[in-house]
Amino acid sequence: MASGFFVLLDDIAAIMDDVAVMSKIAAKKTAGILGDDLAVNAEKASGFASSRELPVLWAISKGSLLNKIIILPIAFLLSAFLPVAIIVILVLGGLFLAYEGAEKIYEFIFPHGHEESEGITDETFTEEQILEAEKGKIKSAIITDFILSVEIVIIALGTVIEEPLMQQIVVTSIIALIATIGVYGIVALIVRMDEAGYKLIKLSKKEKSISKFIGNVLVKALPLVIKSLTVIGTIALLLVAGGIFVHYIPFFHHLSPKINIPVIIKEFVVGLVLGLVVLGIVNLFKKLFGKKEKATA
């Protein structure tokens, strides 16, 4: 009886060890997309009155958790009964990521005029107007999070697709939870950087002091941090997309140039090329349908 109990404990320990190893691998695979997730959510959570930033971020976090609760069971059902669908969704998600990354690079090289979103901080706004505007931005952020959550869950699940279903459920759920807590925890720190800086400046009684210096650094660093996250996120999008194509599409997997180049370069180039192709197709459709709408107007 005792020996059987210890065998059971040993089996549980072995399973947990496997889960830990697979979770680490899955975390590495999904880490690339988190840069973009951070940049997007930091941008979505900014532009509010200082007192409203954390409540808004909390509302988005709850929406993100609900997104995961909806996505995870569907992903597990597909994995159990139609595993090929996971690969199809992975490739389609890869095309979306590649398109998003290529679009950001295209926008940087050939900038277009966009209406800047107004911060919801104007004192002339009534409380009802502020709450209504917040609801709109929260809804937009949760929809964006849903798309990113699908990508994170499917990529994580794709790394353990050949493992038993129970291990798939545990590993993917761990990654989904870590992604939600980690991303929104860091976003909360980022959006409060300037507020912490202003407080340090106010607390400083001397003209030149360490606290005032740190406060000024935090205030000035916030826009730079968000911009750097955007750049890192764009590179990460193309690398993740390229990695999906190289690993799951035989043509790209066996595509090896005469010159030996690092895998990371190959994945970036493949992701960028396919992203530009999708971007070209999307822009062509926009022009065609745009002309039709103008003609019928």
Side-chain angles (χ1 to χ4, degrees):
M1 183 72 178
S3 61
F5 175 73
F6 285 115
V7 168
L8 178 62
L9 285 179
D10 187 59
D11 289 342
I12 293 171
I15 291 170
M16 293 305 295
D17 187 55
D18 290 341
V19 167
V21 171
M22 287 185 289
S23 297
K24 187 177 179 181
I25 295 169
K28 286 182 179 179
K29 291 287 185 181
T30 54
I33 199 173
L34 295 184
D36 186 63
D37 203 359
L38 274 173
V40 170
N41 285 299
E43 185 180 356
K44 294 282 186 183
S46 60
F48 297 94
S50 178
S51 61
R52 297 298 304 160
E53 282 178 342
L54 290 182
V56 166
L57 190 57
W58 174 239
I60 298 172
S61 301
K62 289 190 289 185
S64 175
L65 193 59
L66 181 61
N67 285 340
K68 305 291 194 306
I69 292 171
I70 294 169
I71 294 165
L72 284 169
I74 296 172
F76 297 143
L77 286 172
L78 288 174
S79 178
F81 299 105
L82 194 62
V84 70
I86 299 297
I87 306 300
V88 173
I89 294 172
L90 264 176
V91 173
L92 291 175
L95 288 172
F96 174 78
L97 291 174
Y99 161 75
E100 204 174 32
E103 186 184 35
K104 288 181 179 181
I105 292 175
Y106 179 79
E107 177 67 25
F108 177 76
I109 299 172
F110 305 104
H112 292 69
H114 294 290
E115 292 183 5
E116 294 185 3
S117 59
E118 296 179 357
I120 310 172
T121 56
D122 194 338
E123 292 180 0
T124 60
F125 288 171
T126 65
E127 187 176 349
E128 289 182 0
Q129 288 175 322
I130 291 173
L131 291 175
E132 192 64 30
E134 282 184 4
K135 286 179 182 178
K137 289 197 75 173
I138 290 169
K139 185 179 178 180
S140 173
I142 291 172
I143 291 171
T144 303
D145 177 89
F146 186 86
I147 297 170
L148 293 170
S149 295
V150 169
E151 294 161 0
I152 290 168
V153 167
I154 295 299
I155 290 171
L157 187 56
T159 62
V160 291
I161 194 68
E162 296 179 359
E163 302 297 331
L165 182 60
M166 184 53 66
Q167 291 186 5
Q168 291 181 28
I169 292 172
V170 174
V171 171
T172 310
S173 299
I174 288 172
I175 296 301
L177 187 61
I178 289 174
T180 303
I181 295 172
V183 166
Y184 287 98
I186 295 172
V187 169
L189 293 175
I190 290 172
V191 298
R192 300 300 289 178
M193 274 177 61
D194 55 346
E195 184 65 21
Y198 286 127
K199 285 184 178 179
L200 285 172
I201 293 170
K202 286 181 180 179
L203 288 173
S204 177
K205 296 179 180 179
K206 297 180 181 178
E207 185 65 28
K208 292 183 178 180
S209 64
I210 295 175
S211 61
K212 191 171 184 177
F213 173 77
I214 294 172
N216 284 320
V217 168
L218 288 174
V219 171
K220 292 177 181 177
L222 180 58
L224 295 175
V225 169
I226 293 177
K227 284 183 181 179
S228 64
L229 281 173
T230 303
V231 174
I232 294 168
T234 301
I235 296 170
L237 284 173
L238 295 171
L239 284 174
V240 172
I244 291 170
F245 301 140
V246 169
H247 286 92
Y248 293 101
I249 299 178
F251 174 77
F252 295 112
H253 182 70
H254 298 294
L255 183 65
S256 53
K258 293 179 181 179
I259 303 172
N260 289 327
I261 58 173
V263 176
I264 191 170
I265 302 296
K266 179 181 177 181
E267 292 177 350
F268 180 82
V269 171
V270 170
L272 179 58
V273 170
L274 287 184
L276 290 172
V277 170
V278 177
L279 178 63
I281 294 170
V282 170
N283 286 342
L284 180 61
F285 270 90
K286 283 181 179 178
K287 286 182 180 180
L288 290 174
F289 283 105
K291 287 179 180 179
K292 286 182 180 180
E293 286 178 2
K294 286 180 181 179
T296 54

